[in-house]
Amino acid sequence: MTTKRHEQVGLTDAQVLDMYYYMLLARKIDERQWLLNRAGKVPFVISCQGQEAAQVGAAFAMEKDRDFLCPYYRDLGLVLVFGQTARDCMLSAFAKAEDPNSGGRQMPGHFGGKKYNILTGSSPVTTQVPHAVGMALAGRMKQKDFVVYASFGEGSSNQGDFHEGANFAGVHKLPVIFFCENNKYAISVPLNKQLACESVADRAIGYGFPGISVDGNDPIEVYRVMKEAVERARSGQGPTLIEAVMYRLVPHSSDDDDRVYRTREEVEEAKKKDPLIVFAAYLREIGLLDEHKEADMLARVQLEVDEATEYAENAPYPTPESTMTYVYGE
């Protein structure tokens, strides 16, 4: 029997099966949204495919009733663990009135919701980083014991928002985790044209806290690194920068043609390390997953996605008069 790596980092058999469920659910929601987009039923998709392992691994290391998320637009796996459902995601994709993120006002991927401890995001990239730092400062001032998680792509690590937020958090030793999902491309700009240093994690030393690079295709390893960062933050030792290295398996968005900036051979090679395939193989190897269990889980997920799609497609749109609600004091 192969060593159960997950037990060495404190995860149970049930937890790693749940991890796989959330990774699979995120993937199947995402795939359905692409089909709906190509059918002309939803306007836009910004995908999580290839990044689910890092998101789910990180989410499992936090306490969803206590900690706060400031996610970026690809973080579907993360927000599912924190309580959003397939139905919530589909309502957002269809821009329906019941969309919990914004009532149909925001484009997909702009996650939010007070009941989920998720700060509402906006379209300019990296604005969530200083917001996360501000939340952590507020928590300290109010003597609250929570950790704030801010995720972003490696392209965002070049923005002033990241550097200002990291510097302030480092000086004040705030309980923030900066989680970079390095998927190798800032839309069409490859990593070697974004950074002069070896990795995003190298930047942490300039702000006085640890920077760690981790295999973003391995949810167990991400969990381990993230758990250590959470414990550091809770004990008053300050922030950590985690760089989860992965690959974006699909175009930047449904409006992007990635064939103009990367080869099909490169993408096909990356698909061999698809985190769902790799993690399922690990679970089979240690005897937690077999054909029957895998089929049952896939059927469960497909039913969730089907029911969510049908509900959202038939749900009402926001009324025209609701446009001004929350804008002019109504």
Side-chain angles (χ1 to χ4, degrees), residues 4 34 53 65 110 147 156 192 197 324:
K4 291 186 174 183
W34 277 94
D65 297 325
H110 290 61
V147 171
S156 282
N192 65 354
C197 54
M324 301 300 179

Side-chain angles (χ1 to χ4, degrees), residues 44-317:
F44 188 72
V45 182
I46 191 138
S47 189
C48 71
Q49 292 186 40
Q51 302 184 208
E52 301 95 338
Q55 295 168 6
V56 171
F60 267 68
M62 290 180 284
E63 297 181 26
K64 61 184 180 181
D65 297 325
R66 177 185 189 184
D67 299 324
F68 288 85
L69 304 181
C70 297
Y72 94 128
Y73 46 72
R74 296 196 193 281
D75 274 328
L76 178 56
L78 182 83
V79 302
L80 287 171
V81 177
F82 263 63
Q84 290 212 4
T85 64
R87 179 182 288 190
D88 292 336
C89 298
M90 287 301 178
L91 285 165
S92 177
F94 280 98
K96 295 302 180 76
E98 292 175 66
D99 161 31
N101 298 301
S102 68
R105 289 172 166 77
Q106 275 276 35
M107 61 195 291
H110 290 61
F111 305 109
K114 190 174 181 180
K115 68 179 177 178
Y116 306 114
N117 281 5
I118 301 173
L119 180 75
T120 300
S122 62
S123 291
V125 298
T126 334
T127 54
Q128 69 274 19
V129 171
H131 292 161
V133 174
M135 288 171 69
L137 177 63
R140 171 171 295 174
M141 292 169 71
K142 292 187 171 184
Q143 298 184 316
K144 302 284 187 181
D145 182 21
F146 60 73
V147 171
V148 186
Y149 168 99
S151 52
F152 47 91
E154 85 286 348
S156 282
S157 75
N158 304 312
Q159 297 290 323
D161 303 71
F162 166 75
H163 295 282
E164 292 169 17
N167 188 62
F168 191 92
V171 168
H172 297 283
K173 290 194 173 349
L174 296 175
V176 187
I177 294 163
F178 300 103
F179 194 89
C180 176
E181 297 183 33
N182 179 356
N183 63 19
K184 310 290 179 65
Y185 286 92
I187 306 182
S188 60
V189 182
L191 191 65
N192 65 354
K193 292 185 178 179
Q194 297 180 55
L195 277 70
C197 54
E198 287 296 314
S199 75
V200 175
D202 291 341
R203 292 177 157 166
I205 193 171
Y207 302 116
F209 51 81
I212 301 157
S213 193
V214 64
D215 180 1
N217 292 321
D218 183 348
I220 296 169
E221 189 63 9
V222 172
Y223 171 86
R224 181 187 69 79
V225 168
M226 184 70 185
K227 194 72 175 174
E228 290 175 2
V230 169
E231 288 167 3
R232 284 190 75 253
R234 288 208 204 284
S235 63
Q237 296 178 66
T240 304
L241 170 60
I242 297 171
E243 174 193 31
V245 181
M246 64 209 25
Y247 193 87
R248 194 188 77 216
L249 296 176
V250 294
H252 171 73
S253 74
S254 53
D255 292 346
D256 174 44
D257 182 359
D258 66 331
R259 293 171 298 181
V260 302
Y261 57 84
R262 60 184 189 180
T263 66
R264 295 305 87 190
E265 292 77 15
E266 178 184 315
V267 176
E268 289 307 310
E269 189 63 28
K271 285 182 178 179
K272 294 175 183 177
K273 297 179 182 177
D274 183 329
L276 265 82
I277 294 172
V278 174
F279 195 48
Y282 166 74
L283 294 174
R284 283 193 290 269
E285 198 176 352
I286 60 171
L288 284 182
L289 202 62
D290 55 29
E291 284 185 24
H292 178 69
K293 286 181 181 176
E294 202 164 356
D296 282 351
M297 191 178 293
L298 182 60
R300 173 189 166 193
V301 165
Q302 286 293 173
L303 182 62
E304 281 186 70
V305 174
D306 288 346
E307 289 179 346
T309 305
E310 184 177 1
Y311 182 90
E313 192 167 6
N314 293 308
Y317 286 102

